[in-house]
Amino acid sequence: MHEYLNFYIDGAWVEATDPTTLDVINPTTETPCGRISVGTMADIDRAVTAARNAFSTFADTTPTERLELLESITEAFKKRQDDLAHVLSLEMGAPTRLAQKAQAATGLAHFATAAKILSDFSFERHEGGYQLRQEPVGVCGMITPWNWPVNQIACKVAPALAAGCTMVLKPSEVAPLNAMIIAEILHEAGVPAGVFNLVGGDGPGAGAALSAHPEIDMMTFTGSTRGGVAVARAAADTVKRVTQELGGKSANIILDDADLSRAVADGMGRMLLNSGQNCNAPSRMLVPAGQHDEALEVAVSVAAKARLGDPLAEGTTMGPVVSQAQFDRIQGLIQAGIDEGATLACGGTGKPEGLETGFFVKPTVFGQVDNAMTIAREEIFGPVLSVIPYDSEDEAIAIANDTPFGLSGYVSSGNVDRALSVAGRLRTGNVHINGAQSDFRAPFGGYKQSGNGREWGEHGLEEFLEVKAVFMPKIA
């Protein structure tokens, strides 16, 4: 049992103001694997005050000093990477390989990338008759999710440190143990007192208090669109900057000249990754109508190869979803797909045979899905693929854009120029062509209800900077 009953405030672990605690549930065993304290407004206020007091000093540090700090963090991170991976398997059900090679590794990558960007970044430059300065935005509130928790913490904390900001983090109460280890890493690396602070708790309590706090200059939130709206509303009274990385319902357009088997297998593989709990998951697979049945067969064959079970067991490729609430939501949406007439090709409701304990979801593939169906409209956040037939390229693009979301998109084609043309017509923040992977230097974020602002890379750093124009008289 991992217990973290104190909060990290002003460079030290301090007692919570309220003795209320919350169990962290292992989704594989459905039993507690940890316990945290629930933060209150008083705890948030202490943390924000510490961050405010530290801001002026940290903002005055040089880029070189902050670069050295980021490099120290990467070294401290490497020492704890296995610890992070282990608790990720316990608290969110990530299989060992995924936890080590992806979940924990992304955190290290973001700190290393931020250091590289900072080493070449210019905070001042001359533009005609004025000087352009980029300065730290101030004290930042951060609310992060449970599905890629280390990734989302690191891609906020790393650029904030690079910019010279101070911060208060409120991690997801569903999977908070990794955040506690990250706080220990930052402490060991020598992050000055008050620069990074952590308060645990839930959204309606600690999250709302953080979003509304008058001494917070910026809120950065990753989570559901509903949660993002709540943060923006709470922040509005004090006109904070708000950046949001929210939901998605990404379309995967497989064009008629693509290698169908390869493209479908890649798309289905991405749906099984992290048990489908990815905001940029290609959950709507658009295929030429004449290739629909073949695509369905390939997707089902890939789903059949998934090895569900204990995340710590050798050979497991897919663990449970994170919670009972998440399991119940996915079950309801699978049933909606059945009720609305989609063809259930594999999977379905209920738990896989032999896995009665744990929040395990059957890899599920629906065929003949209409884009008006619930399973094509709502973010399921589970291993559920909807295969949608189309008759023309223009129709495929129209279907892809017919969604309130706009986070990511996928295009497969035998002609890269054709794929690029289609990518240019998608209203999304990211597009992956022919199975291309993400790049930590590239901006990540979405259009429409998938949020605003960008994370990762140089664009992610700039979100934590204010822009100042200094006008100077001309010298005769």
Side-chain angles (χ1 to χ4, degrees), residues 228-308:
V229 170
V231 168
R233 284 177 174 162
D237 286 344
T238 47
V239 198
K240 294 176 175 58
R241 177 182 297 182
V242 177
T243 64
Q244 304 161 317
E245 197 270 282
L246 309 176
K249 195 66 183 174
S250 301
N252 182 4
I253 300 177
I254 300 176
L255 297 172
D256 55 14
D257 63 349
D259 181 332
L260 184 72
S261 293
R262 181 176 180 178
V264 172
D266 176 75
M268 188 66 212
R270 291 175 188 256
M271 285 308 306
L272 299 177
L273 179 70
N274 206 37
S275 303
Q277 299 169 125
N278 309 302
C279 55
N280 60 347
S283 54
R284 293 182 298 148
M285 181 179 287
L286 278 57
V287 300
Q291 297 178 310
H292 172 273
D293 292 349
E294 182 183 352
L296 216 58
E297 290 179 7
V298 174
V300 169
S301 69
V302 173
K305 296 175 184 176
R307 295 293 175 260
L308 280 68

Side-chain angles (χ1 to χ4, degrees), residues 11-325:
W13 292 96
V14 301
E15 291 185 0
T17 57
D18 187 294
T20 303
T21 62
L22 183 70
D23 285 339
V24 180
I25 302 300
N26 182 327
T28 304
T29 64
E30 301 184 38
T31 60
C33 64
R35 194 158 58 106
I36 64 167
S37 292
V38 177
T40 65
M41 184 176 293
D43 297 306
I44 291 294
D45 191 59
R46 281 196 298 169
V48 173
T49 298
R52 175 58 63 192
N53 291 339
F55 174 65
S56 59
T57 301
F58 191 64
D60 284 342
T61 56
T62 66
T64 299
E65 290 172 323
R66 298 197 295 276
L67 176 59
E68 291 173 351
L69 181 59
L70 287 170
E71 290 172 342
S72 178
I73 292 170
T74 60
E75 292 306 311
F77 197 106
K78 292 174 185 177
K79 299 175 186 176
R80 301 296 302 276
Q81 193 165 333
D82 287 346
D83 295 336
L84 281 168
H86 181 69
V87 299
L88 287 166
S89 294
L90 294 180
E91 65 183 339
M92 60 161 297
T96 297
R97 180 173 175 80
L98 177 70
Q100 291 175 338
K101 304 298 183 183
Q103 287 277 359
T106 56
L108 181 61
H110 282 301
F111 281 108
T113 301
K116 291 178 183 177
I117 290 169
L118 180 58
S119 67
D120 294 325
F121 193 83
S122 176
F123 289 88
E124 295 182 6
R125 66 177 186 268
H126 290 277
E127 299 281 354
Y130 68 95
Q131 183 188 67
L132 186 70
R133 296 182 179 178
Q134 290 179 279
E135 302 173 348
V137 69
V139 179
C140 303
M142 302 175 172
I143 300 178
T144 53
W146 48 259
N147 63 319
W148 285 88
V150 172
N151 175 80
Q152 288 306 130
I153 292 171
C155 77
K156 297 180 191 300
V157 172
L161 290 172
C165 294
T166 60
M167 64 214 74
V168 178
L169 169 67
K170 202 295 287 181
S172 169
E173 70 276 19
V174 176
L177 304 178
N178 63 90
M180 307 299 179
I181 294 176
I182 290 175
E184 293 173 346
I185 291 170
L186 298 177
H187 183 83
E188 180 186 340
V191 174
V195 170
F196 172 85
N197 305 273
L198 183 153
V199 176
D202 59 16
L210 185 61
S211 302
H213 200 289
E215 288 296 319
I216 290 287
D217 299 300
M218 170 183 171
M219 284 298 302
T220 173
F221 172 86
T222 301
S224 68
T225 298
R226 183 181 62 182
V229 170
V231 168
R233 284 177 174 162
D237 286 344
T238 47
V239 198
K240 294 176 175 58
R241 177 182 297 182
V242 177
T243 64
Q244 304 161 317
E245 197 270 282
L246 309 176
K249 195 66 183 174
S250 301
N252 182 4
I253 300 177
I254 300 176
L255 297 172
D256 55 14
D257 63 349
D259 181 332
L260 184 72
S261 293
R262 181 176 180 178
V264 172
D266 176 75
M268 188 66 212
R270 291 175 188 256
M271 285 308 306
L272 299 177
L273 179 70
N274 206 37
S275 303
Q277 299 169 125
N278 309 302
C279 55
N280 60 347
S283 54
R284 293 182 298 148
M285 181 179 287
L286 278 57
V287 300
Q291 297 178 310
H292 172 273
D293 292 349
E294 182 183 352
L296 216 58
E297 290 179 7
V298 174
V300 169
S301 69
V302 173
K305 296 175 184 176
R307 295 293 175 260
L308 280 68
D310 184 347
L312 298 176
E314 186 175 352
T316 296
T317 63
M318 185 174 138
V321 296
V322 77
S323 66
Q324 182 73 59

